């Protein structure tokens, strides 16, 4: 059974400034949120990792080494997605391994 880790119940409430500041305190999370906002659709987590690394390194996604992509995919799963799903900023679909932006109010405006 797939799990979706966004309740949607809090989607109409704005996030406290402290929560948004904490979410945006990490460059990887900021870039991931910006990429999800730009795409506007669910993204496979490994593809999100590739896009984040390509943006950080200013290279084409095809030039991202597999090992770096795999490492960042693991980091997204263990460090970043838990924070983003707990605050309903993103929804994660475990059946197909995608993540989708749920709250545009947490996307850094300078990266949009």
């Amino acid at each position: 059974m797939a799990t979706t880790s966004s309740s949607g119940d809090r989607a109409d409430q704005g996030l406290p400034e402290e929560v948004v500041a904490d979410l945006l305190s990490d460059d990887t999370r900021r870039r991931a949120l910006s990429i999800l906002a730009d795409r506007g659709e669910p993204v496979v987590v490994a593809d999100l990792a590739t896009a984040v690394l390509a943006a950080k390194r200013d290279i084409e996604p095809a030039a991202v080494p597999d090992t770096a992509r795999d490492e960042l995919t693991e980091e997204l799963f263990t460090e970043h997605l838990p924070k983003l799903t707990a605050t309903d900023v993103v929804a994660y679909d475990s059946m197909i391994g995608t993540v989708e932006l749920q709250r545009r109010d947490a996307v850094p405006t300078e990266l949009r």
Side-chain angles (χ1 to χ4, degrees):
M1 172 189 239
T3 57
T4 301
S5 47
S6 173
S7 68
D9 296 345
R10 295 174 282 190
D12 293 332
Q13 301 174 11
L15 289 172
E17 287 182 35
E18 306 82 46
V19 172
V20 173
D22 181 53
L23 293 175
L24 300 181
S25 66
D26 183 89
D27 182 59
T28 296
R29 265 195 307 276
R30 282 194 308 274
R31 288 180 190 272
L33 288 170
S34 178
I35 290 163
L36 290 170
D38 288 347
R39 299 234 179 139
E41 62 186 13
V43 178
V44 173
V45 177
D47 294 344
L48 180 60
T50 299
V52 167
L53 286 168
K56 279 184 174 185
R57 297 176 179 187
D58 197 25
I59 60 175
E60 290 297 317
V64 172
D66 291 344
T67 54
R69 181 206 58 226
D70 294 345
E71 288 172 5
L72 185 55
T73 298
E74 181 67 25
E75 182 181 319
L76 287 169
F77 276 120
T78 59
E79 294 179 34
H80 305 297
L81 291 180
K83 266 190 178 185
L84 295 170
T85 57
T87 54
D88 292 326
V89 171
V90 301
Y92 174 68
D93 185 326
S94 65
M95 184 67 93
I96 55 177
T98 60
V99 64
E100 182 175 15
L101 184 66
Q102 299 294 299
R103 301 188 63 126
R104 294 189 74 78
D105 61 329
V107 177
T109 54
E110 71 273 4
L111 294 177
R112 276 193 237 175

